[in-house]
Amino acid sequence: MIGKTMKAIRIHEFGGPEVLKYEDVPMPEVKPGEVLVRVKAIGINPPDWYLRDGYKALPPEWRPQVPFPLILGTDISGVVEAVSDDVQGFAVGDEVYSMVRFFSVGESRAYAQYVSVPVQDLALKPRGTDHIQAAGAPMSLLTVWQFMVEVGHDAPNPLQPERHEPVPLKDRRVVVNGAAGGVGHFAVQVAKLKGAYVIAIASGRHEALLRDLGADQVIDYTRTPPEDVVRDADLVLDTLGGAASRRFLSTLKRGGALFPVFPLGFNADDEAEELGITVSTAQVRSSGAQLARLAPLLADGMLKTVIDSTYPLAAARQAHERAAKGHIQGKIVLTVD
Ligand SMILES: NC(=O)c1ccc[n+]([C@@H]2O[C@H](COP(=O)([O-])OP(=O)(O)OC[C@H]3O[C@@H](n4cnc5c(N)ncnc54)[C@H](OP(=O)(O)O)[C@@H]3O)[C@@H](O)[C@H]2O)c1
């Protein structure tokens, strides 16, 4: 029997990790087209701390207005507890995973014991993976897939007027910057799976992992500036992005592409045009259909979620403090009893 309240992490104001409060909150309503999921694990992502902080990095006119109190988080793995009458394809007891309602700022509400999920954002959990691995995948893996393989939705791109288009990967030289992080470690694996020669850029302690994930070459950026040694790349996926993405223009061949995953601050479009390099970015969107197509790859071990660390839901503050220290290897995941 489900009670009327559940445990969740809420914020009542913007601020640092200390604003994350473990509280009793009302259970979510299950609206038409939705499924109630009993959450087992929650993957955490940079948008969680951008929102916690009040999106300080965005220009003021872009900062979303959100009502307090607010439950953070988007990525979950869990078990279906109830389904709305109009929902088909999911049943009570199914193990599922999801990136919930992204990009609807503040409406995902994943740092909780229960979350209501629109059925179009939901997929069956990859068989053979545990909830921690499944919860670590959605946002990072969907970002990689939508940047590098298949956009898979028609939502307008708020970051550029034109639609983002992936480029061919087979037999191409693909550079992944920030290769050990949430997005980066899936990018290395997807590029390898699609037949690319993969150059991974990360700090040295990640080298063994990145080779294990399929990197052909690993550059320790703390010793060697990648722009000094990489030439003739076909694609750079720069998971760090920002103004510093400009330095990758010299690593690309004419006709190549630079995808800054975090594009704010990038300001070298003229130079890119002169060099014949396409610069393109996108914003990830929820897609249960893509998660369903990716599930067999996760189930077969073709793609792996690397776990940096886990924390109980009640210790979300410590998880955010860990994230703030940087050098994340894979994903940080919250567990729920
Ligand atoms: N456009 C979208 O829709 C979208 C979607 C998801 C994420 N994002 C953005 O993508 C970015 C990355 O997200 P994430 O989840 O992958 O973050 P993350 O898990 O924190 O990974 C960042 C990685 O970058 C590495 N790094 C730090 N400084 C570096 C440097 N100078 N050179 C190379 N690597 C460096 C870190 O480890 P080491 O320093 O130890 O190598 C870490 O592994 C965030 O800004 C996020 O907001 C955008």
Side-chain angles (χ1 to χ4, degrees):
M1 183 75 184
I2 307 174
K4 288 200 169 70
T5 62
M6 63 173 183
K7 294 288 187 190
I9 296 287
R10 294 201 299 194
I11 62 170
H12 295 256
E13 59 183 320
F14 294 132
E18 70 284 354
V19 301
L20 299 170
K21 304 292 181 204
Y22 186 62
E23 297 180 329
D24 290 310
V25 310
M27 286 284 294
E29 276 177 48
V30 186
K31 299 197 178 120
E34 292 184 348
V35 166
L36 183 68
V37 177
R38 180 156 46 92
V39 177
K40 296 287 196 178
I42 302 149
I44 76 172
N45 291 284
D48 303 353
W49 40 95
Y50 301 158
L51 177 56
R52 188 205 69 212
D53 266 343
Y55 275 96
K56 279 193 208 136
L58 291 181
E61 65 277 14
W62 277 34
R63 286 180 203 160
Q65 301 294 311
V66 288
F68 292 116
L70 177 71
I71 301 175
L72 299 179
T74 59
D75 286 5
I76 56 115
S77 180
V79 180
V80 173
E81 183 80 23
V83 292
S84 154
D85 290 343
D86 61 336
V87 164
Q88 293 178 342
F90 292 97
V92 171
D94 284 346
E95 294 194 308
V96 290
Y97 75 140
S98 178
M99 178 173 80
V100 185
R101 294 188 198 86
F102 198 80
F103 187 82
S104 297
V105 176
E107 292 179 22
S108 306
R109 298 187 275 267
Y111 286 14
Q113 284 181 311
Y114 293 88
V115 60
S116 69
V117 183
V119 72
Q120 67 271 18
D121 296 353
L122 197 66
L124 292 177
K125 178 170 83 67
R127 274 177 295 104
T129 61
D130 60 27
H131 286 291
I132 292 172
Q133 293 164 321
M139 180 177 284
S140 296
L141 183 51
L142 286 174
T143 300
V144 168
W145 205 252
Q146 292 176 13
F147 265 84
M148 298 178 83
V149 179
E150 169 203 47
V151 174
H153 63 77
D154 293 321
N157 185 345
L159 302 170
Q160 63 187 31
E162 63 278 11
R163 186 181 157 87
H164 173 77
E165 293 293 346
V167 295
L169 300 173
K170 188 164 171 42
D171 298 328
R172 308 297 166 109
R173 281 166 66 81
V174 174
V175 177
V176 179
N177 189 37
V183 176
H185 86 293
F186 280 123
V188 167
Q189 296 177 75
V190 166
K192 194 67 196 169
L193 192 68
K194 295 289 176 186
Y197 178 89
V198 182
I199 302 169
I201 303 169
S203 65
R205 78 179 186 94
H206 305 300
E207 173 158 5
L209 169 79
L210 291 167
R211 296 241 180 232
D212 187 48
L213 295 179
D216 296 286
Q217 195 181 333
V218 179
I219 297 173
D220 176 354
Y221 70 84
T222 66
R223 291 169 178 264
T224 311
E227 62 274 25
D228 288 357
V229 291
V230 180
R231 291 289 175 272
D232 293 330
D234 295 284
L235 170 65
V236 174
L237 183 86
D238 182 7
T239 78
L240 275 84
S245 257
R246 180 190 194 129
R247 69 206 162 110
F248 288 109
L249 291 174
S250 65
T251 70
L252 283 153
K253 59 172 68 151
R254 187 164 277 278
L258 171 60
F259 294 168
V261 176
F262 185 87
L264 299 180
F266 182 85
N267 190 15
D269 287 321
D270 291 349
E271 193 182 338
E273 198 178 332
E274 261 174 44
L275 293 168
I277 291 163
T278 302
V279 179
S280 181
T281 190
Q283 189 173 69
V284 68
R285 298 283 168 162
S286 295
S287 172
Q290 285 181 328
L291 288 179
R293 287 201 286 286
L294 288 160
L297 299 176
L298 289 159
D300 292 349
M302 309 287 279
L303 298 176
K304 284 182 234 163
T305 311
V306 172
I307 303 300
D308 177 280
S309 45
T310 64
Y311 297 81
L313 176 62
R317 172 183 177 161
Q318 284 74 18
H320 277 222
E321 285 167 351
R322 157 70 196 97
K325 290 190 179 124
H327 303 295
I328 296 173
Q329 187 177 82
K331 297 295 300 182
I332 302 171
V333 176
L334 305 174
T335 55
V336 187
D337 289 336

